[in-house]
Amino acid sequence: MNEVVGIDLGTTNTVVGAFRNGVASALPDEDGRTLIPSVVSFHPNGSVLVGRPARDRRTIDPKSTVYSVKRLIGRSWDTEEVKRAHARLPFDMREGPGQAALIAVRGETYTLPEISAFVLRKARTVAESALGSSVERAVITVPANFNDLQRAATKVAARVAGLEVLRILNEPTAAALAYGYGKGTSERLAVYDFGGGTFDVTLLDLSNNVFEVLATAGNTFLGGDDIDLAIAERMADEALRQHRYDPREDPILFDRFRLAAEELKHRLSTEQAVTTVVREVTHGAGGKALDLTFTLTRRELEELAGPIVEQTFDTCRDALAVARLTVGDLDQVLLVGGSTRIPLVKRRVEEFFRRAGESHLSPDEVVAMGAAIQASALAGAERRKSAIPPPPAAARRASTEPGVGRGTLPGGGPRPPAEAGLGRLRLSSMVDAAESGPETKPFEPRQRLPTRPGLQPPARPPGPVPTTQPSGTLLGLGSRARVKTGAGLGPEAEAARADAEAPPPASFSAPSEPSETHVTPVVAAPEPSSALDEVTQRYRESSAEVPPTPWPGSIEGLPPNEVDPLLEPPRALDEAALPLPEIPDDVPTRVGSSPLSQAPPSSSRLRPAPSVLSVPAPLLSVPAPVLVDVTPLTLSVETVGGYCDALIGRNTPVPCDRTRTFVTAVDNQTTVRVRVGQGESARFGENTLLGELELSALRAAPRGKVEIAVTFALDTNGMLDVSARDLATGHATQAQLYLVGLPGARELEGLAARHAAQRTG
Ligand code: AMP
């Protein structure tokens, strides 16, 4: 059997989860532990240790033990974050080709995705032993505010580890899924995710199994590590006072201080005062080793951590403002991430949101559980597409009765209380379908951008040889928006659309070229483009007063004529007259109200479920989760003078795309390059450079006579792709995206081969 899993690839710890027999759970290693430290240590004997044994080597062999890679992945060498980490972390870093940041250890260099790949491989091994089957596909989670490069680099890590990525899923969305999937309720949630290296807050509407993100905001450099650092600084001050030696002068010693600080912090979550001893801080008279004995009270910790914790609420205010909500509009606050175990954090969350944070699911495991649910849904959709022929009755019904589906949209009715006290998530059943089809295309990494700024020609993609003509200027002629969502968007999405529909700034050009301005915005009405959009749109238009609307006969990734009666509500099963599958005895059934019971009797296609279900779980249809996520950052292209032309605004629901029309500004211009970035600044250079779009083999013609429509599309993973077409001929134009610091296809193969050959422990 080939199982699918969900992996929460964390800064500090990684957790792998699976969804089996209606139960989502984090999978334990051979010692029963579900947290795999995201640490990789290169042993002198040539083996690579990962997880707990690697973490144990942090103090013994700090120069060969790599951690906190998630803070760096997808960031190029010249970024502030990498520079800061390089100065602070005990292991060595180097600049690689294309400004990639490399880890240098034991005479070898490794890319950041390669280091993460070791952790993913360990997660995969843990899963394979726990499940007793091979694991080749996974949903992998990332912080909601990860940009395109960080997502792409995470995907590269998975490929190096030999895993096919079913989906890159935002962590808070995964957490919400674990919390709300199958609950059958309508709630407005805040997911407060305070981990080791990052803080994220996401506001979502959960309505039955539709999870719609309203806003997300985050700080990629705010986490429990900052609290450890503040404690370690206090300890260093104390060492300086007691022994006249500053441990900050020795990064390896200071790292030991940080580890001791973290342990103090953990213990202070349950104790009021803790004393620690750091051995051999320095040497005194006669070479005598001097230790540091240090005591910290919870109160002192709270003084140190207070300003750090407060910063999380700035981000919360930001998210609330973006969604135009107040804390009073929220029904629930979900606590995610190890730092939410800190009593001060719990208390401040309660004060800020005016309600206690919900933490009945383990804050460490909840994300992996949600990812596992989504993995199972996506794998199920694929299995049905490829393996099961459409049963005639269902196919006929689907083709003759469009719009009749297998679930309900949100309706009114009382909200059942949250199921308390569950360490693991139990669901009645799972519909093996998802909001989008899995990626079945083979992985095709986008090309690496060798240098920036003052770009040199990137490695050439296959295809016609580009002309020798220098790149010139393309002037923005117009814009055409197609945000794939319907009416009734949240206010920020509306604002984002308004932004998107605003005329673009003066012009597009290669950075050095002077140019004229020709701007004619053309804005198309948004159009629902998939069954998912229709579902989303109907959901958005529905309210508590409006009776639930049946789902359409399919969702994206599961065409109508492939509707499987196993996905249908009980009545559909009667009609399909399928033989019942064998149901194992240990399959759990849900006791209590089913989501189906939310459907009013007037919905004639759906029979209300009894409140106690005795039907075997796999035959019950909890609708597939529909995830409506947003892009956390504005996508822009660079204009003349180093400004941004915003293409897709922050908080726009994904998938979405936007088409810009360009016109040549130089006679016989055949190539053009435009820089693409993500961020909120109006100045392009202050945002994150993703890379460069190259349009090549353009039709040779006098300037102004070639108009190229370029479509920038963000997929459900929040990742960018581009395509282009010559408006006059209607033919596709070569458009290639070169991303900063990512390996090309051939390089990736090499990395995967080297990785597979490495001995791990
Ligand atoms: P995550 O990134 O979600 O794995 O969270 C890791 C962060 O949670 C690290 O900064 C840990 O030090 C912190 N953490 C884990 N357990 C506790 C605890 N019991 N008390 C305080 N912080 C904790």
Side-chain angles (χ1 to χ4, degrees):
M1 255 281 269
N2 193 328
E3 297 273 0
V4 294
V5 294
I7 303 178
D8 171 11
L9 179 61
T11 310
T12 319
N13 294 301
T14 291
V15 181
V16 55
F19 185 86
R20 290 165 297 162
N21 298 334
V23 179
S25 61
L27 299 172
D29 65 11
E30 63 277 11
D31 299 321
R33 301 187 221 235
T34 54
L35 267 57
I36 304 164
S38 305
V39 186
V40 177
S41 185
F42 295 82
H43 198 274
N45 71 11
S47 72
V48 182
L49 303 175
V50 186
R52 212 159 290 275
R55 197 182 60 183
D56 293 344
R57 293 188 62 80
R58 247 182 85 170
T59 44
I60 306 167
D61 189 5
K63 286 202 88 60
S64 311
T65 305
V66 187
Y67 59 92
S68 279
V69 160
K70 188 174 176 182
R71 283 178 172 243
L72 307 171
I73 199 162
R75 297 183 192 273
S76 56
W77 177 255
D78 66 342
T79 55
E80 270 311 306
E81 295 83 356
V82 170
K83 281 184 198 153
R84 226 186 309 163
H86 181 43
R88 230 184 62 181
L89 294 170
F91 47 86
D92 264 357
M93 296 181 70
R94 303 249 165 88
E95 181 178 3
Q99 299 204 2
L102 302 178
I103 305 293
V105 56
R106 295 200 183 281
E108 285 280 351
T109 54
Y110 296 87
T111 61
L112 298 168
E114 278 182 284
I115 301 291
S116 290
F118 283 116
V119 179
L120 287 172
R121 185 158 139 196
K122 174 76 179 182
R124 182 181 176 185
T125 311
V126 166
E128 287 180 337
S129 343
L131 298 169
S133 60
S134 67
V135 170
E136 282 160 17
R137 295 178 301 161
V139 165
I140 299 180
T141 59
V142 295
N145 58 348
F146 254 27
N147 65 33
D148 181 72
L149 279 180
Q150 291 167 305
R151 287 164 196 266
T154 303
K155 209 167 168 182
V156 167
R159 298 306 299 152
V160 171
L163 281 169
E164 181 191 333
V165 178
L166 288 168
R167 167 97 190 246
I168 296 286
L169 181 63
N170 287 339
E171 288 161 9
T173 311
L177 200 51
Y179 165 80
Y181 180 63
K183 251 177 106 187
T185 57
S186 297
E187 299 175 48
R188 186 163 286 161
L189 289 180
V191 179
Y192 178 98
D193 182 354
F194 197 15
T198 56
F199 173 73
D200 272 316
V201 64
T202 296
L203 309 176
L204 298 106
D205 265 347
L206 154 60
S207 210
N208 274 347
N209 288 306
V210 180
F211 296 76
E212 184 192 13
V213 175
L214 304 173
T216 189
N219 184 336
T220 33
F221 269 80
L222 179 66
D225 293 0
D226 298 298
I227 299 174
D228 304 346
L229 187 63
I231 301 169
E233 295 276 1
R234 172 69 62 89
M235 291 167 68
D237 290 344
E238 189 57 26
L240 186 60
R241 198 183 62 77
Q242 285 183 23
H243 303 312
R244 303 204 171 283
Y245 175 71
D246 190 344
R248 283 164 286 225
E249 287 171 16
D250 176 354
I252 293 175
L253 172 64
F254 193 58
D255 199 48
R256 280 171 55 210
F257 271 57
R258 265 211 299 265
L259 283 172
E262 185 179 18
E263 201 193 318
L264 273 180
K265 179 186 73 174
H266 286 197
R267 289 178 56 195
L268 285 170
S269 289
T270 49
E271 298 168 45
Q272 292 299 330
V274 177
T275 298
T276 189
V277 179
V278 184
R279 303 271 171 219
E280 292 192 42
V281 170
T282 187
H283 294 88
K288 183 170 173 269
L290 298 176
D291 300 340
L292 173 74
T293 302
F294 181 80
T295 299
L296 196 70
T297 64
R298 186 184 288 179
R299 198 182 175 143
E300 287 165 336
L301 169 67
E302 295 189 349
E303 276 166 22
L304 285 173
I308 296 162
V309 175
E310 282 320 297
Q311 286 183 53
T312 66
F313 299 109
D314 294 338
T315 307
C316 292
R317 282 184 203 96
D318 181 25
L320 285 164
V322 164
R324 297 194 192 156
L325 294 174
T326 65
V327 288
D329 296 319
L330 302 172
D331 299 308
Q332 193 64 269
V333 182
L334 201 58
L335 298 183
V336 179
S339 297
T340 60
R341 290 217 161 83
I342 300 173
L344 170 71
V345 173
K346 286 193 182 147
R347 217 167 58 232
R348 285 294 296 124
V349 163
E350 185 167 352
E351 282 163 12
F352 182 86
F353 289 102
R354 291 190 237 131
R355 66 181 59 249
E358 158 70 43
S359 57
H360 78 270
L361 295 171
S362 156
D364 299 316
E365 297 174 355
V366 62
V367 170
M369 292 195 296
I373 292 171
Q374 181 65 0
S376 184
L378 289 167
E382 189 180 56
R383 203 164 49 238
R384 276 162 172 74
K385 270 199 293 184
S386 60
I388 302 179
R396 191 175 57 248
R397 196 169 48 251
S399 61
T400 56
E401 298 174 36
V404 174
R406 50 178 180 273
T408 60
L409 278 168
R415 292 171 183 179
E419 289 172 61
L422 292 179
R424 298 182 347 138
L425 183 71
R426 294 198 158 263
L427 299 175
S428 61
S429 75
M430 180 75 197
V431 173
D432 291 334
E435 93 291 3
S436 77
E439 288 179 26
T440 48
K441 279 192 294 183
F443 178 73
E444 287 169 20
R446 290 161 290 173
Q447 300 291 308
R448 170 165 57 82
L449 182 69
T451 56
R452 62 173 259 240
L455 294 157
Q456 290 168 8
R460 293 289 166 205
V465 179
T467 70
T468 51
Q469 174 135 3
S471 346
T473 304
L474 283 185
L475 299 179
L477 179 70
S479 69
R480 162 175 272 262
R482 189 161 71 90
V483 177
K484 287 189 183 173
T485 47
L489 297 176
E492 179 62 16
E494 295 285 13
R497 173 178 298 161
D499 285 351
E501 290 175 359
S507 66
F508 293 90
S509 79
S512 56
E513 295 281 338
S515 73
E516 325 154 34
T517 300
H518 297 281
V519 180
T520 315
V522 181
V523 181
E527 43 185 88
S529 61
S530 69
L532 167 65
D533 299 334
E534 285 173 35
V535 171
T536 309
Q537 187 166 338
R538 286 187 204 186
Y539 153 64
R540 286 176 169 140
E541 286 165 357
S542 71
S543 70
E545 289 75 49
V546 179
T549 315
W551 282 25
S554 77
I555 56 176
E556 206 172 56
L558 193 66
N561 64 354
E562 292 182 18
V563 169
D564 181 344
L566 292 180
L567 305 181
E568 298 271 318
R571 175 178 171 144
L573 274 176
D574 299 341
E575 291 176 6
L578 273 191
L580 294 179
E582 290 284 319
I583 306 301
D585 288 337
D586 62 347
V587 170
T589 55
R590 187 188 186 94
V591 176
S593 78
S594 141
L596 287 179
S597 66
Q598 303 284 312
S602 60
S603 175
S604 64
R605 301 293 306 174
L606 303 171
R607 188 173 62 191
S611 61
V612 176
L613 299 171
S614 56
V615 183
L619 299 183
L620 291 173
S621 292
V622 176
V626 174
L627 310 184
V628 184
D629 229 311
V630 299
T631 177
L633 298 160
T634 299
L635 180 81
S636 324
V637 291
E638 188 180 29
T639 64
V640 170
Y643 287 92
C644 287
D645 175 39
L647 298 172
I648 297 174
R650 173 188 175 195
N651 222 43
T652 302
V654 289
C656 61
D657 59 52
R658 182 158 168 81
T659 300
R660 273 276 195 273
T661 304
F662 298 85
V663 58
T664 51
V666 178
D667 289 344
N668 297 322
Q669 181 176 0
T670 56
T671 305
V672 72
R673 288 195 282 272
V674 183
R675 299 210 298 171
V676 185
Q678 269 183 319
E680 306 317 308
S681 173
R683 294 208 69 93
F684 189 85
E686 289 170 5
N687 294 325
T688 302
L689 175 73
L690 296 181
E692 207 179 40
L693 163 69
E694 183 187 77
L695 302 172
S696 58
L698 302 182
R699 199 160 41 84
R703 70 177 187 152
K705 296 291 180 206
V706 178
E707 292 174 19
I708 307 292
V710 182
T711 299
F712 299 82
L714 287 175
D715 65 13
T716 46
N717 298 309
M719 292 168 69
L720 177 65
D721 211 346
V722 289
S723 58
R725 147 178 91 82
D726 186 325
L727 282 181
T729 63
H731 292 150
T733 301
Q734 269 190 46
Q736 182 85 40
L737 199 57
Y738 295 93
L739 292 179
V740 177
L742 284 188
R746 203 168 313 136
E747 265 174 283
L748 182 71
E749 262 176 43
L751 294 182
R754 172 164 95 146
H755 183 84
Q758 202 105 33
R759 211 155 32 96
T760 58

